[in-house]
Amino acid sequence: MSTELTTFTGWAAMAAGAPLERHQYDPGPLGAEEVEVAVEYCGICHSDQSMIDNEWGNARYPFIPGHEVVGTIVRVGEQVRGLKLGQRVGIGWYKGSCMHCGSCMEGSHQLCRTVKPTIVGSNGGFADRLRAHWAWAIPLPAGLEPSLVGPLFCAGSTVFAPLLEFDVKPTDRVGVVGIGGLGHLALRFLNAWGCEVTAFTSSLSKQEEAQRLGAHKVVASTDSAALKAMAGSLDFLLITASADLDWNALLGTLRGKGRLHFVGIAPSAIPVHVFSLIPQQKSLSGSPVGSPKNMATMLEFCARHQILPQVEHFPMSQVNAAIDHLRAGKARYRVVLDASK
């Protein structure tokens, strides 16, 4: 049994864009509905980099990143339900919600108006401990390697949730735009789901790898002729890339009632006229990570099909080298920090 810590130690940026350095802070008393987790592994996401650099204007310094956490429960509040000491859990982009609003009561906790992000206005998982509401600490099923599973709680949940939310069928033809941290998992999920999967990438050098990950076809996302040849062929198109693309050409790849769905953050507004949507009843939509229930379902699916992120490991003590690796675009496809090193 771990001893109670009155001070947590993490790796914090002291200013926008600054290297991370060791930082101690007082977490205060453990909430009645909170669990305290001893961090074992934590993935690095582009959102961590964006927050370090204050790209979204909402970072507070000192800032401790980390929202793809895997660890063991070492303390539980008196009103915690369904979890126990010693249990291994994962915590993602959110770590709490009000538990009484309409969204929470219908199971869409991620849409709660007061949902609590793990790293926005709070200290994240690049640390020895992390606290979360018990509902957002998702138990790991047997058969999933803990050192690899962290990115499922952000990247994995983000691309898995739309499959449930929009009732993607095994008979559907689905495209994935962007073969990176999110996209590589989307290819694996959709292939195991039973779909015919097309990968759209700006780099055809990834063709062989995309096929290994589950794509049946690979198309250049910047090739207008190739996009035109795909016209009217897809039921669902998942955008995981964070880039400005030819959105009207991509909309054109959809069949009637097809959906263009964003989980990647395109930097500019989407210039789409309603006449691109109305005649064939096409839809544009976007979504965040999934609910706790959806994340648990995703983990069961991953355990059944042995779907895990493709990761590179760094010791937590070399967190700055790991972030530089991510900044340089060299990550294939997620970086995971080992807290014990």
Side-chain angles (χ1 to χ4, degrees):
M1 173 83 180
S2 298
T3 57
E4 180 176 337
L5 298 183
T6 57
T7 301
F8 291 0
T9 303
W11 289 86
M14 298 300 171
L20 272 58
E21 55 188 86
R22 286 190 182 275
H23 172 70
Q24 292 188 327
Y25 70 97
D26 180 357
L30 181 70
E33 297 188 6
E34 286 187 320
V35 294
E36 184 172 303
V37 174
V39 177
E40 296 172 302
Y41 304 97
C42 189
I44 305 180
C45 173
H46 277 284
S47 297
D48 293 310
Q49 177 189 317
S50 295
M51 289 291 293
I52 290 169
D53 297 341
N54 201 22
E55 289 179 6
W56 303 333
N58 59 353
R60 297 190 322 201
Y61 301 93
F63 167 68
I64 298 177
H67 60 276
E68 296 181 342
V69 174
V70 172
T72 301
I73 295 174
V74 292
R75 292 181 66 202
V76 296
E78 60 187 19
Q79 295 180 25
V80 167
R81 301 289 182 266
L83 298 175
K84 59 186 178 181
L85 293 173
Q87 194 167 11
R88 184 172 278 128
V89 297
I91 300 164
W93 178 253
Y94 294 128
K95 65 177 183 179
S97 55
C98 78
M99 305 303 289
H100 62 78
C101 70
S103 292
C104 286
M105 293 300 288
E106 73 176 13
S108 299
H109 302 74
Q110 78 279 17
L111 305 183
C112 174
R113 293 288 296 272
T114 58
V115 69
K116 187 174 183 180
T118 300
I119 62 171
V120 180
S122 189
N123 292 301
F126 289 9
D128 50 7
R129 299 283 174 94
L130 181 69
R131 290 176 180 172
H133 188 280
W134 60 265
W136 287 94
I138 316 300
L140 265 63
L144 287 180
E145 170 53 49
S147 67
L148 303 178
V149 78
L152 290 176
F153 289 94
C154 180
S157 174
T158 298
V159 297
F160 188 84
L163 308 189
L164 300 175
E165 186 70 24
F166 299 107
D167 193 26
V168 173
K169 297 177 174 60
T171 52
D172 283 348
R173 295 178 174 87
V174 180
V176 177
V177 180
I179 313 306
L182 278 73
H184 90 285
L185 283 168
L187 294 180
R188 287 181 166 175
F189 287 150
L190 288 161
N191 184 284
W193 205 260
C195 300
E196 181 183 285
V197 187
T198 300
F200 293 82
T201 175
S202 59
S203 175
L204 283 180
S205 63
K206 291 184 178 180
Q207 179 170 354
E208 200 170 298
E209 191 159 18
Q211 290 172 328
R212 178 183 61 78
L213 290 166
H216 300 99
K217 303 176 185 176
V218 182
V219 174
S221 58
T222 54
D223 185 338
S224 57
L227 294 180
K228 190 174 182 179
M230 292 288 296
S233 64
L234 300 176
D235 299 286
F236 193 89
L237 186 56
L238 185 65
I239 311 297
T240 72
S242 297
D244 292 324
L245 297 169
D246 187 343
W247 303 117
N248 281 291
L250 288 167
L251 262 176
T253 66
L254 294 174
R255 305 167 69 180
K257 297 186 179 180
R259 180 178 296 271
L260 182 66
H261 187 75
F262 287 87
V263 293
I265 302 174
S268 304
I270 309 302
V272 172
H273 198 283
V274 293
F275 282 126
S276 299
L277 305 175
I278 290 174
Q280 289 196 301
Q281 201 175 316
K282 297 179 182 180
S283 301
L284 278 175
S285 54
S287 63
V289 296
S291 67
K293 175 63 170 67
N294 284 356
M295 282 193 273
T297 300
M298 172 197 67
L299 293 176
E300 291 174 9
F301 185 80
C302 289
R304 183 178 305 154
H305 295 282
Q306 277 304 295
I307 296 173
L308 287 163
Q310 183 172 315
V311 308
E312 299 174 87
H313 287 276
F314 281 76
M316 184 78 78
S317 60
Q318 295 182 20
V319 61
N320 288 305
I323 292 170
D324 289 343
H325 188 69
L326 179 71
R327 286 187 190 278
K330 296 179 179 178
R332 289 294 182 272
Y333 282 97
R334 299 297 271 197
V335 174
V336 171
L337 300 173
D338 185 336
S340 66
K341 298 179 181 179

